């Protein structure tokens, strides 16, 4: 596999392709509301899709359950039934956002590649995913404004991120053992560096575009920035 193949854009599913959360193990109303179907998984998936956009755009304080309900195929009452309250829905949105990126990462099959090729593929994927999912970035930025208060309430988010670090650690340690990566890097620090470079490309592109009069949405610019990010990370860890 050539170096160009490893840094080529990796297909990233649209943000609306989410796995529905399982319904709570409590009795559901016997009769669906008029004009609505009794399909808990589809209903919850629809609520999460709409709520993701609302929370990403307006934050926890600005989002309104009434507005979310108006944009879904369900009602305010059913949103409360499935998620308890607005904070419960917000936590569920965070969980789904993290679950999705970690689930896709497991399909990269990094263990099948040599260490440097695996690292290149992971960094390129991260750049492409963040670019294709700006809502994820806004959700994370909003949650940082809350100092991680709501993320801390979710045990599943903590568990979801363990495989991400373990996967990167495996790639890095294989590289160290092969003599191609230097042996003094903390995998969590490396993960943070990859995320920082990938997120900044999206989070700050509007201000940079205005200040430096540069079109960061141009496909050639996007590809060049991704390739540059991959190269920076690889050179950082090389022996």
């Amino acid at each position: 596999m050539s170096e160009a193949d490893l840094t080529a854009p990796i297909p990233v599913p649209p943000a609306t392709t989410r796995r529905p959360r399982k319904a709570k193990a409590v009795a559901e109303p016997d009769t669906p509301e008029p004009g609505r179907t009794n399909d808990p998984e589809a209903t919850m998936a629809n609520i999460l899709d709409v709520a993701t956009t609302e929370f990403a755009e307006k934050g926890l304080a600005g989002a309104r359950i009434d507005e979310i309900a108006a944009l879904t195929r369900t009602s305010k009452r059913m949103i409360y039934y499935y998620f308890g309250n607005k904070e419960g829905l917000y936590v569920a949105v965070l969980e789904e956002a993290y679950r999705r990126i970690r689930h896709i990462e497991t399909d990269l099959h990094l263990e099948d590649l040599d260490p440097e090729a695996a690292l290149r593929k992971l960094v390129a994927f991260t750049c492409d995913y963040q670019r294709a999912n700006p809502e994820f970035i806004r959700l994370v930025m909003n949650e940082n404004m809350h100092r991680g208060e709501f993320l801390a309430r979710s045990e599943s988010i903590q568990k979801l991120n363990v495989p991400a670090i373990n996967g990167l650690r495996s790639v890095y340690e294989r590289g160290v053992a092969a003599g191609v990566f230097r042996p003094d890097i903390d995998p969590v620090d490396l993960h943070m560096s990859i995320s920082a470079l990938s997120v900044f490309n999206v989070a700050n592109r509007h201000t940079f575009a205005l200040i430096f009069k540069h079109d960061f949405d141009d496909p050639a610019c996007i590809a060049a920035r991704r390739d540059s990010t991959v190269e920076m990370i690889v050179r950082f860890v090389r022996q």
Side-chain angles (χ1 to χ4, degrees):
M1 181 178 291
S2 68
E3 183 174 303
D5 292 331
L6 295 171
T7 57
I10 298 171
V12 176
T16 53
T17 306
R18 299 188 176 95
R19 183 179 62 187
R21 291 162 53 87
K22 293 185 180 295
K24 294 181 179 180
V26 295
E28 192 168 353
D30 294 330
T31 305
E33 295 188 7
R36 307 184 191 277
T37 59
N38 190 1
D39 185 346
E41 290 194 346
T43 298
M44 295 176 78
N46 178 230
I47 294 170
L48 287 173
D49 281 338
V50 172
T52 293
T53 299
E54 289 294 299
F55 285 125
E57 292 289 340
K58 303 172 184 176
L60 175 60
R64 295 288 181 267
I65 293 294
D66 286 330
E67 294 178 11
I68 293 172
L71 295 170
T72 65
R73 296 188 297 273
T74 187
S75 66
K76 181 177 178 180
R77 181 174 69 88
M78 292 305 295
I79 292 175
Y80 285 129
Y81 168 78
Y82 285 121
F83 300 100
N85 53 33
K86 186 168 77 167
E87 291 183 357
L89 177 58
Y90 174 70
V91 171
V93 164
L94 288 175
E95 289 175 342
E96 183 62 16
Y98 276 99
R99 183 209 64 76
R100 183 170 179 270
I101 185 172
R102 300 313 175 208
H103 175 72
I104 299 173
E105 283 175 344
T106 62
D107 291 334
L108 296 179
H109 302 294
L110 302 179
E111 66 279 2
D112 297 334
L113 302 171
D114 67 71
E116 183 172 318
L119 182 59
R120 285 182 178 277
K121 185 173 184 178
L122 177 60
V123 177
F125 161 76
T126 305
C127 287
D128 290 337
Y129 186 90
Q130 305 291 17
R131 183 77 195 188
N133 294 275
E135 286 184 345
F136 176 69
I137 294 175
R138 290 195 291 270
L139 285 171
V140 174
M141 291 172 65
N142 281 324
E143 181 56 12
N144 272 286
M145 292 177 68
H146 291 286
R147 301 181 185 274
E149 173 188 349
F150 297 95
L151 189 148
R153 299 182 187 183
S154 171
E155 291 184 8
S156 68
I157 290 180
Q158 311 298 319
K159 294 176 181 177
L160 281 169
N161 286 282
V162 170
I165 295 299
N166 287 345
L168 179 57
R169 178 180 286 109
S170 176
V171 169
Y172 171 67
E173 290 179 349
R174 286 197 292 118
V176 172
V180 296
F181 294 163
R182 57 189 178 91
D184 57 347
I185 300 174
D186 178 0
V188 175
D189 182 69
L190 180 57
H191 175 72
M192 190 172 190
S193 296
I194 295 170
S195 296
L197 289 170
S198 301
V199 168
F200 190 93
N201 295 337
V202 182
N204 289 60
R205 73 184 189 277
H206 299 298
T207 52
F208 261 51
L210 288 169
I211 293 170
F212 299 108
K213 310 304 179 185
H214 194 77
D215 184 6
F216 290 100
D217 289 324
D218 179 75
C221 180
I222 293 171
R225 185 61 192 165
R226 182 187 62 246
D227 293 345
S228 179
T229 299
V230 171
E231 198 63 29
M232 280 190 280
I233 293 296
V234 170
R235 292 190 184 194
F236 172 69
V237 301
R238 271 182 182 157
Q239 182 65 274

